[in-house]
PDB file of all heavy atoms in Angstrom:
ATOM      1  N   ILE A 283      -6.457  -9.560   2.046  1.00  0.00           N
ATOM      2  CA  ILE A 283      -6.021  -9.232   3.407  1.00  0.00           C
ATOM      3  C   ILE A 283      -6.645  -7.908   3.848  1.00  0.00           C
ATOM      4  O   ILE A 283      -7.115  -7.772   4.986  1.00  0.00           O
ATOM      5  CB  ILE A 283      -4.486  -9.163   3.473  1.00  0.00           C
ATOM      6  CG1 ILE A 283      -3.889 -10.557   3.242  1.00  0.00           C
ATOM      7  CG2 ILE A 283      -4.022  -8.604   4.821  1.00  0.00           C
ATOM      8  CD1 ILE A 283      -2.379 -10.559   3.124  1.00  0.00           C
ATOM      9  N   GLY A 284      -6.657  -6.928   2.963  1.00  0.00           N
ATOM     10  CA  GLY A 284      -7.271  -5.649   3.294  1.00  0.00           C
ATOM     11  C   GLY A 284      -8.752  -5.781   3.593  1.00  0.00           C
ATOM     12  O   GLY A 284      -9.273  -5.160   4.531  1.00  0.00           O
ATOM     13  N   ASP A 285      -9.452  -6.628   2.837  1.00  0.00           N
ATOM     14  CA  ASP A 285     -10.870  -6.852   3.087  1.00  0.00           C
ATOM     15  C   ASP A 285     -11.083  -7.526   4.436  1.00  0.00           C
ATOM     16  O   ASP A 285     -12.013  -7.193   5.179  1.00  0.00           O
ATOM     17  CB  ASP A 285     -11.455  -7.706   1.964  1.00  0.00           C
ATOM     18  CG  ASP A 285     -12.965  -7.807   2.042  1.00  0.00           C
ATOM     19  OD1 ASP A 285     -13.631  -6.770   1.977  1.00  0.00           O
ATOM     20  OD2 ASP A 285     -13.480  -8.938   2.173  1.00  0.00           O
ATOM     21  N   GLY A 286     -10.205  -8.484   4.758  1.00  0.00           N
ATOM     22  CA  GLY A 286     -10.305  -9.140   6.060  1.00  0.00           C
ATOM     23  C   GLY A 286     -10.035  -8.196   7.208  1.00  0.00           C
ATOM     24  O   GLY A 286     -10.709  -8.243   8.241  1.00  0.00           O
ATOM     25  N   LEU A 287      -9.055  -7.328   7.043  1.00  0.00           N
ATOM     26  CA  LEU A 287      -8.761  -6.335   8.078  1.00  0.00           C
ATOM     27  C   LEU A 287      -9.919  -5.362   8.241  1.00  0.00           C
ATOM     28  O   LEU A 287     -10.231  -4.935   9.362  1.00  0.00           O
ATOM     29  CB  LEU A 287      -7.488  -5.571   7.722  1.00  0.00           C
ATOM     30  CG  LEU A 287      -6.172  -6.332   7.865  1.00  0.00           C
ATOM     31  CD1 LEU A 287      -5.022  -5.504   7.301  1.00  0.00           C
ATOM     32  CD2 LEU A 287      -5.904  -6.677   9.322  1.00  0.00           C
ATOM     33  N   ASN A 288     -10.558  -5.029   7.145  1.00  0.00           N
ATOM     34  CA  ASN A 288     -11.701  -4.122   7.212  1.00  0.00           C
ATOM     35  C   ASN A 288     -12.826  -4.729   8.037  1.00  0.00           C
ATOM     36  O   ASN A 288     -13.446  -4.063   8.862  1.00  0.00           O
ATOM     37  CB  ASN A 288     -12.194  -3.802   5.800  1.00  0.00           C
ATOM     38  CG  ASN A 288     -13.089  -2.577   5.769  1.00  0.00           C
ATOM     39  OD1 ASN A 288     -13.040  -1.728   6.653  1.00  0.00           O
ATOM     40  ND2 ASN A 288     -13.913  -2.486   4.744  1.00  0.00           N
ATOM     41  N   ASP A 289     -13.096  -6.019   7.833  1.00  0.00           N
ATOM     42  CA  ASP A 289     -14.118  -6.695   8.633  1.00  0.00           C
ATOM     43  C   ASP A 289     -13.714  -6.781  10.101  1.00  0.00           C
ATOM     44  O   ASP A 289     -14.539  -6.597  10.993  1.00  0.00           O
ATOM     45  CB  ASP A 289     -14.366  -8.104   8.090  1.00  0.00           C
ATOM     46  CG  ASP A 289     -15.240  -8.086   6.843  1.00  0.00           C
ATOM     47  OD1 ASP A 289     -15.762  -7.012   6.502  1.00  0.00           O
ATOM     48  OD2 ASP A 289     -15.382  -9.142   6.208  1.00  0.00           O
ATOM     49  N   ALA A 290     -12.429  -7.087  10.330  1.00  0.00           N
ATOM     50  CA  ALA A 290     -11.974  -7.286  11.702  1.00  0.00           C
ATOM     51  C   ALA A 290     -11.936  -5.991  12.496  1.00  0.00           C
ATOM     52  O   ALA A 290     -12.226  -5.974  13.696  1.00  0.00           O
ATOM     53  CB  ALA A 290     -10.586  -7.934  11.695  1.00  0.00           C
ATOM     54  N   LEU A 291     -11.573  -4.897  11.829  1.00  0.00           N
ATOM     55  CA  LEU A 291     -11.422  -3.628  12.527  1.00  0.00           C
ATOM     56  C   LEU A 291     -12.665  -2.755  12.466  1.00  0.00           C
ATOM     57  O   LEU A 291     -12.729  -1.721  13.120  1.00  0.00           O
ATOM     58  CB  LEU A 291     -10.238  -2.853  11.924  1.00  0.00           C
ATOM     59  CG  LEU A 291      -8.881  -3.548  12.048  1.00  0.00           C
ATOM     60  CD1 LEU A 291      -7.818  -2.774  11.298  1.00  0.00           C
ATOM     61  CD2 LEU A 291      -8.486  -3.729  13.497  1.00  0.00           C
ATOM     62  N   ASN A 292     -13.646  -3.184  11.682  1.00  0.00           N
ATOM     63  CA  ASN A 292     -14.893  -2.430  11.550  1.00  0.00           C
ATOM     64  C   ASN A 292     -16.056  -3.357  11.913  1.00  0.00           C
ATOM     65  O   ASN A 292     -16.639  -3.994  11.030  1.00  0.00           O
ATOM     66  CB  ASN A 292     -15.054  -1.898  10.122  1.00  0.00           C
ATOM     67  CG  ASN A 292     -16.220  -0.925  10.011  1.00  0.00           C
ATOM     68  OD1 ASN A 292     -17.114  -0.904  10.841  1.00  0.00           O
ATOM     69  ND2 ASN A 292     -16.205  -0.123   8.951  1.00  0.00           N
ATOM     70  N   PRO A 293     -16.404  -3.487  13.185  1.00  0.00           N
ATOM     71  CA  PRO A 293     -17.420  -4.443  13.598  1.00  0.00           C
ATOM     72  C   PRO A 293     -18.793  -4.174  13.000  1.00  0.00           C
ATOM     73  O   PRO A 293     -19.562  -5.098  12.770  1.00  0.00           O
ATOM     74  CB  PRO A 293     -17.452  -4.286  15.121  1.00  0.00           C
ATOM     75  CG  PRO A 293     -16.867  -2.936  15.388  1.00  0.00           C
ATOM     76  CD  PRO A 293     -15.858  -2.708  14.303  1.00  0.00           C
ATOM     77  N   LYS A 294     -19.122  -2.895  12.704  1.00  0.00           N
ATOM     78  CA  LYS A 294     -20.420  -2.594  12.117  1.00  0.00           C
ATOM     79  C   LYS A 294     -20.530  -3.217  10.731  1.00  0.00           C
ATOM     80  O   LYS A 294     -21.557  -3.789  10.367  1.00  0.00           O
ATOM     81  CB  LYS A 294     -20.607  -1.080  12.038  1.00  0.00           C
ATOM     82  CG  LYS A 294     -20.753  -0.406  13.397  1.00  0.00           C
ATOM     83  CD  LYS A 294     -20.983   1.079  13.249  1.00  0.00           C
ATOM     84  CE  LYS A 294     -21.117   1.755  14.620  1.00  0.00           C
ATOM     85  NZ  LYS A 294     -21.337   3.224  14.480  1.00  0.00           N
ATOM     86  N   LEU A 295     -19.448  -3.098   9.941  1.00  0.00           N
ATOM     87  CA  LEU A 295     -19.457  -3.667   8.604  1.00  0.00           C
ATOM     88  C   LEU A 295     -19.544  -5.179   8.664  1.00  0.00           C
ATOM     89  O   LEU A 295     -20.264  -5.810   7.889  1.00  0.00           O
ATOM     90  CB  LEU A 295     -18.199  -3.229   7.841  1.00  0.00           C
ATOM     91  CG  LEU A 295     -18.055  -3.772   6.412  1.00  0.00           C
ATOM     92  CD1 LEU A 295     -19.220  -3.323   5.540  1.00  0.00           C
ATOM     93  CD2 LEU A 295     -16.731  -3.298   5.796  1.00  0.00           C
TER      94      LEU A 295
END
Side-chain angles (χ1 to χ4, degrees):
I283 293 173
D285 189 60
L287 287 173
N288 197 22
D289 282 352
L291 298 174
N292 189 340
K294 292 182 181 180
L295 179 60

